[in-house]
Each structure stands twice: as structure tokens, then as C-alpha cells.
């Protein structure tokens, strides 16, 4: 940004010039404008690197500017950033209270939308806009409580390749709900657990969303503890079930081998096969992906009898 005022001296120090640029950036943050999200982090000395990223950066977190609403024949009304790029919400996040769970490699594929200087689109209720503090201290934009993201593979405005990915990512409608119907939803609901034939791995287990399920070789069968805890859980999510009846809804898998246990870390109920805890991998972007296979020499897809698929 070029300072519109003429300086009194052409020998200003680099530090002084930097201070002027920071001041101008803060003044252009959009605070106080109708429909803008209130945030002072971007203009504060302690602002994170993510929050000082330039708007429109497709490879990392950035603000969205003035939001827009695009009408898609398949999805209906979809929220976009100022460049026309589709914004998404993630089913594994939470809205009450707001919580963002996409970090690390996930955030590289799904860059968070920063709350700095964002304004509501015409006709959108600005009270639905808010923010949530991420683990890196940056402030992420929320819509009706749901954290918003872009998709790295949407390489041009108007695209929505991320809709339906993994059965958990959906374009956001102006009221914060999911836009349209899931693009990759199966014609018929899958059982809580079932198997499929993978071209490389053979018969492996998947969950109700079609995600490949994995075993961690550092776990122990029939153990009441999972060796995957803390930062491990950012990439490897415990396979869960919300209903006891779902334990019996396992196609091609002996129901006697399927059980669930309560994680001691407050992570809820985790499914097991033959005593082995099951996980899905955040690096699997769509149903049928097996990007977690062999990671670290400790993660492998699982067969219906509980054995490793390798």
C-alpha cells in the first residue's frame, strides 16, 4: 500500500517506514464498517503471522474481504470471499460453542478464513458472523458459529470442488447451513462399518462415511487405552459411533468382533475390531482414499478380522 501523504524527508529509516506501513494496514482493516467482524488482533503488536497474511492468498490463511453470495444450480446459494472463491464448513468442527479442528496438514489443504476486516454480503445477516481463536492464536471467521475455510484445489473463482469431500466438507450457505445436498453422498447410506475392495490393499474396512479405517501398531488389542493421544489426535481421529445399535450394523464383519470403549481422555466412545482401536486419517480427502497407509511405519488399513492390511 502506498502512503498518500508526502513524507517530510526522503531519508526516513527502515524502521520508521515499517511503522507507517503497519499503521496504514491497521487503518484499512475494515473495523467499524457496517457488517464487519470486530477484531483488533491484526493491528496489534502481537498479531500472529497468519493474521498478517495478505487477503486473497490461496495457499494459506487470509481474510475474505467483503463476502459474496453466488447461486449455483446444484447447490443453491453459496457464500464466497471477495474474489468469488467458495467458503466451506467442516462437520468435525462445532458451532455451539465454536471450535476449529482442522490444523497442520489439514489446514494446508483447507486454509482457514481469517476474521480480520470481513464484511457481510448484501442481504446476509451480519449478526451471524463471528470468530473463534485457533490453536496458533489466529482468529478464524465463523458463520452462525461454524468456522469457515477455503479449499486449496479450488484454483479459480466459482469452483466448489471441496463440496462433499470426505463426507464432512460442504460449501456454506448464507445462513451457515450446508449448501445443497452432499455431492459425494452415496445413493444408499453405508452401514456403521463395512468392507470394500481396494485395488492395492484388497478388502479393507470403512466407516459410514466411506472413510478408510486404520490401526496404530503402538496400540494393544483389548487395551482400555489408546497410544494415540495429544497431538496425534490432530491427524488421526478415533472412529466413533453415537448409537449402540450401530455396533450391530456392520456388513461383512462378524458383529462379535465389533465393540466400543470409552476413551479415558474424554474423547468419547471409540470403535474397535477384535479389540483394536479404529481411526480415520485427516489426510484422506475423499471416501476411498488410503493416504494414511504406512505412515510412519505404524499406521495401516485394517481387515475385517482385525489384521493389518499390508
Amino acid at each position: 500500500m502506498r502512503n498518500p501523504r508526502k513524507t517530510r524527508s526522503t531519508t526516513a529509516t527502515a524502521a520508521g517506514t515499517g511503522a507507517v506501513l503497519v499503521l496504514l494496514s491497521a487503518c484499512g482493516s475494515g473495523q467499524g464498517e457496517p457488517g464487519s467482524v470486530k477484531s483488533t488482533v491484526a493491528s496489534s503488536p502481537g498479531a500472529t503471522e497468519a493474521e498478517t497474511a495478505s487477503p486473497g492468498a490461496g495457499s494459506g490463511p487470509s481474510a475474505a474481504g467483503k463476502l459474496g453470495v453466488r447461486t449455483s444450480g446444484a447447490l443453491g446459494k453459496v457464500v464466497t470471499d471477495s474474489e468469488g472463491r467458495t467458503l466451506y464448513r467442516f462437520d468435525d468442527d462445532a458451532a455451539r460453542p465454536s471450535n476449529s479442528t482442522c490444523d497442520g496438514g489439514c489446514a494446508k489443504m483447507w486454509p482457514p478464513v481469517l476474521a480480520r476486516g470481513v464484511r457481510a454480503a448484501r442481504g446476509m445477516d451480519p449478526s451471524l458472523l463471528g470468530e473463534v481463536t485457533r490453536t496458533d492464536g489466529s482468529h478464524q471467521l465463523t458463520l452462525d458459529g461454524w468456522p469457515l475455510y477455503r479449499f486449496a484445489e479450488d484454483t479459480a473463482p466459482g469452483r466448489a470442488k471441496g463440496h462433499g469431500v470426505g463426507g464432512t466438507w460442504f460449501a456454506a450457505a448464507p445462513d451457515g447451513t450446508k449448501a445443497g445436498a452432499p455431492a459425494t453422498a452415496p445413493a444408499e447410506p453405508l452401514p456403521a462399518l463395512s468392507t470394500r475392495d481396494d485395488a492395492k490393499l484388497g478388502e479393507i474396512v470403512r466407516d459410514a462415511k466411506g472413510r478408510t479405517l486404520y490401526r496404530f501398531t503402538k496400540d494393544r488389542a483389548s487395551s482400555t487405552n489408546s497410544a494415540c493421544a495429544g497431538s496425534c489426535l490432530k491427524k488421526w481421529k478415533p472412529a466413533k459411533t453415537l448409537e449402540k445399535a450401530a455396533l450391530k450394523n456392520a456388513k461383512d464383519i462378524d458383529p462379535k468382533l465389533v465393540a466400543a470403549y470409552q476413551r479415558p481422555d474424554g474423547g468419547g466412545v471409540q470403535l474397535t475390531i477384535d479389540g483394536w482401536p479404529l481411526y480415520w486419517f485427516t489426510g484422506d480427502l475423499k471416501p476411498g482414499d488410503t493416504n494414511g497407509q504406512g505412515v510412519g511405519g505404524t499406521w495401516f488399513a485394517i481387515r475385517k478380522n482385525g489384521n493389518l492390511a499390508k
Side-chain angles (χ1 to χ4, degrees):
M1 182 180 297
R2 183 173 298 174
N3 189 346
R5 299 180 179 179
K6 295 182 179 180
T7 59
R8 295 182 177 179
S9 171
T10 59
T11 59
T13 64
T17 302
V20 171
L21 291 176
V22 170
L23 179 59
L24 290 176
S25 176
C27 292
S29 64
Q31 295 177 20
E33 298 179 36
S36 65
V37 177
K38 296 180 180 180
S39 174
T40 59
V41 176
S43 59
S44 67
T48 66
E49 181 178 351
E51 287 179 312
T52 57
S54 59
S59 59
S62 62
K66 184 175 181 179
L67 301 178
V69 176
R70 182 181 74 250
T71 300
S72 167
L75 302 179
K77 292 184 177 181
V78 173
V79 178
T80 70
D81 65 12
S82 60
E83 295 183 342
R85 298 182 185 275
T86 302
L87 301 185
Y88 299 87
R89 45 171 283 180
F90 184 29
D91 276 359
D92 286 354
D93 286 347
R96 305 286 188 277
S98 298
N99 182 42
S100 173
T101 60
C102 181
D103 293 304
C106 173
K108 292 182 180 180
M109 184 59 67
W110 302 91
V113 178
L114 299 181
R116 171 173 51 85
V118 176
R119 292 177 291 157
R122 183 182 299 274
M124 178 186 288
D125 183 356
S127 68
L128 293 178
L129 298 180
E131 63 182 49
V132 62
T133 302
R134 293 175 54 80
T135 55
D136 63 1
S138 63
H139 290 227
Q140 184 173 0
L141 178 66
T142 62
L143 179 57
D144 194 29
W146 289 99
L148 295 181
Y149 306 81
R150 296 180 180 84
F151 184 44
E153 293 189 6
D154 284 347
T155 55
R159 297 187 178 180
K161 291 184 178 181
H163 185 72
V165 167
T168 55
W169 291 92
F170 300 94
D175 61 356
T177 60
K178 302 173 185 177
T184 58
E188 297 181 1
L190 292 173
L193 292 175
S194 61
T195 62
R196 71 173 185 86
D197 288 324
D198 183 83
K200 295 182 179 180
L201 303 177
E203 190 178 43
I204 56 177
V205 178
R206 61 183 175 180
D207 67 6
K209 294 181 178 180
R211 297 177 297 202
T212 301
L213 295 182
Y214 298 87
R215 257 184 58 184
F216 187 30
T217 58
K218 293 184 180 181
D219 283 343
R220 290 183 298 172
S222 302
S223 172
T224 57
N225 290 297
S226 165
C228 181
S231 61
C232 173
L233 294 175
K234 292 182 178 181
K235 292 185 177 181
W236 302 92
K237 304 295 184 180
K240 300 179 180 179
T241 179
L242 300 179
E243 301 177 3
K244 292 182 179 180
L247 296 176
K248 298 181 180 180
N249 184 18
K251 184 180 179 181
D252 302 325
I253 301 173
D254 186 349
K256 294 180 181 180
L257 295 178
V258 181
Y261 80 99
Q262 182 70 43
R263 289 181 59 91
D265 56 7
V269 176
Q270 184 168 6
L271 285 169
T272 66
I273 289 183
D274 196 27
W276 293 101
L278 302 179
Y279 308 81
W280 58 271
F281 182 44
T282 58
D284 285 345
L285 302 180
K286 62 181 182 299
D289 279 355
T290 57
N291 297 323
Q293 179 70 5
V295 168
T298 55
W299 291 93
F300 298 93
I302 191 170
R303 304 203 187 280
K304 63 182 181 180
N305 61 358
N307 290 341
L308 300 174
K310 64 173 184 175

